[in-house]
Amino acid sequence: MASDSVSKVVIDVIESNWSLGGALAPSLIHFAPGWFNSDYTNQPQLTVSPSGSDPIEYFGPTVGHNFMHYIARDVYVANVWLPIPSGSEGANEEQYRNQMREEVIRILVTQTSNFSAPLGRVLPINRGRNLSEMNRTPRLLRFQIPFWVNYIY
């Protein structure tokens, strides 16, 4: 499956299962495959794109003490982007960014079986890392959550 297609499937599942409201309601967030879109600079964004990492192979147990060979050919990243408006200290935005990060992780973990074939499982690798860009205008809070797309053989 092409990486653009994978990104689109994953972002669609995230958007359709988004449960936050208020300032983080789905209608107020720009969800898209790809990267940060400067046309939406003043609103929260959530993007999904390939990470460029090498494939990861591992063996995992199955029922009955057998083992399965897993290949995480594709490592992707979900990026949470949250601008800090001019004049703001960013405390609310930091809280929002953290809520968005937790929501992405929740969706990836709880919806792992709802991604269309041949994706297999989509699992976060870790809780992500802070990659905020505070030396630009507007200041931009960013969190990157890496995840595997597992193909089962």
Side-chain angles (χ1 to χ4, degrees):
M1 182 176 256
S3 61
D4 289 346
S5 300
V6 171
S7 296
K8 177 75 172 123
V9 168
V10 173
I11 201 72
D12 286 349
V13 169
I14 291 172
E15 184 175 11
S16 66
N17 288 280
W18 195 260
S19 66
L20 298 179
L24 299 178
S27 61
L28 302 176
I29 298 171
H30 177 68
F31 294 89
W35 199 244
F36 183 79
N37 186 329
S38 59
D39 291 341
Y40 300 92
T41 299
N42 295 319
Q43 74 183 84
Q45 295 185 42
L46 199 141
T47 61
V48 171
S49 60
S51 73
S53 296
D54 291 333
I56 299 167
E57 293 188 55
Y58 61 97
F59 291 89
T62 64
V63 177
H65 306 291
N66 294 319
F67 283 86
M68 198 132 205
H69 183 204
Y70 294 88
I71 302 174
R73 293 184 195 274
D74 300 315
V75 178
Y76 285 76
V77 290
N79 281 288
V80 169
W81 310 85
L82 207 75
I84 300 174
S86 180
S88 172
E89 292 296 318
N92 287 340
E93 290 79 12
E94 217 170 295
Q95 180 182 359
Y96 293 158
R97 180 203 55 198
N98 292 336
Q99 289 174 338
M100 289 177 70
R101 176 188 70 168
E102 292 303 319
E103 182 70 353
V104 169
I105 292 168
R106 180 195 69 78
I107 293 166
L108 291 177
V109 169
T110 62
Q111 299 300 315
T112 190
S113 61
N114 291 334
F115 292 93
S116 57
L119 292 188
R121 292 188 203 124
V122 176
L123 299 167
I125 295 170
N126 57 46
R127 300 191 69 73
R129 63 186 175 144
N130 181 0
L131 296 172
S132 296
E133 301 172 28
M134 303 306 280
N135 295 327
R136 58 167 296 192
T137 304
R139 293 174 296 157
L140 193 60
L141 295 174
R142 176 177 160 217
F143 224 93
Q144 186 178 76
I145 303 120
F147 61 91
W148 295 336
V149 175
N150 293 292
Y151 300 89
I152 302 172
Y153 296 98

